[in-house]
Amino acid sequence: DKNKGWVSLLERQLKENVLGEFRIVNSSISGETSTGGNNRLSAQLAKHKPTLVILELGANDGLRGTPIPHMTKNLESMIVKSTKSGAEAMLLGMRIPPNYGERYTEKFASAYVQLAEKYNLLLVPFLLDGVAGIDGMMQDDGIHPTELGQPVMESLVWDKVKVWLDRR
């Protein structure tokens, strides 16, 4: 249920705790890769004119074994497009299961950190921190969070959104 997902929970947090008008537009598409997100972003920026773009992409790239430089290039392009449009960008990092090999999984996770450092972005290093591997928090596939995991994820993002709000 989208109304119980972390994005909807974040929107409720904003309405309950922040003075002023903020609207969240969830432009995500389940199963999308960084290539798809990068291809769609310009139109979304022009349509919605955001002040903050929260980028949570790359997990599907990793699960497909996409070369890290390809994913990084797409994420970097989205960061640049966002900032050129007048928005700030925030990056939500992901990790992939260890069966992809230590070298790949380490490079995958560090790509988010490196981009955040390069562009001085707010970063949630791992969106599933406190959710991944926890009974009841993950679906049977071991990849997707359950409804119980959504508030934990929202809390991680909310902590960074509060930093962004304080800087405004």
Side-chain angles (χ1 to χ4, degrees):
D1 182 357
K2 274 192 162 188
N3 292 321
K4 295 178 181 175
W6 73 265
V7 176
S8 293
L9 297 174
L10 181 65
E11 187 166 32
R12 278 185 228 127
Q13 272 287 17
L14 277 170
K15 288 179 180 176
E16 293 171 7
N17 295 294
V18 180
L19 296 175
E21 276 299 310
F22 287 96
R23 178 176 57 100
I24 292 183
V25 176
N26 186 351
S27 294
S28 65
I29 295 176
S30 181
E32 185 157 63
T33 63
S34 63
T35 299
N38 189 31
N39 290 339
R40 292 186 316 105
L41 184 61
S42 293
Q44 294 296 307
L45 292 169
K47 180 178 179 181
H48 299 292
K49 301 187 181 359
T51 54
L52 176 65
V53 175
I54 300 175
L55 298 169
E56 190 252 316
L57 283 156
N60 290 310
D61 295 82
L63 293 174
R64 294 175 186 192
T66 301
I68 306 296
H70 180 77
M71 179 192 78
T72 303
K73 180 181 172 188
N74 284 325
L75 291 172
E76 187 166 25
S77 175
M78 288 185 274
I79 292 163
V80 170
K81 287 176 185 179
S82 297
T83 55
K84 281 187 178 179
S85 78
E88 286 188 59
M90 178 188 300
L91 198 53
L92 307 184
M94 291 301 294
R95 295 189 185 148
I96 55 170
N99 59 304
Y100 284 80
E102 186 177 345
R103 188 167 152 241
Y104 186 83
T105 56
E106 285 178 5
K107 285 185 175 204
F108 182 88
S110 69
Y112 294 96
V113 174
Q114 290 169 3
L115 285 170
E117 289 173 355
K118 180 177 181 178
Y119 290 97
N120 195 29
L121 304 178
L122 291 170
L123 170 71
V124 173
F126 181 38
L127 182 59
L128 297 177
D129 191 22
V131 175
I134 309 291
D135 284 345
M137 298 274 194
M138 298 297 286
Q139 294 181 28
D140 290 339
D141 64 7
I143 295 172
H144 297 94
T146 64
E147 185 178 319
L148 291 175
Q150 300 300 318
V152 176
M153 296 161 60
E154 181 274 333
S155 179
L156 293 170
V157 179
W158 175 240
D159 287 345
K160 297 300 179 180
V161 169
K162 286 190 294 189
V163 171
W164 176 78
L165 288 165
D166 288 344
R167 292 193 323 206
R168 291 183 52 123

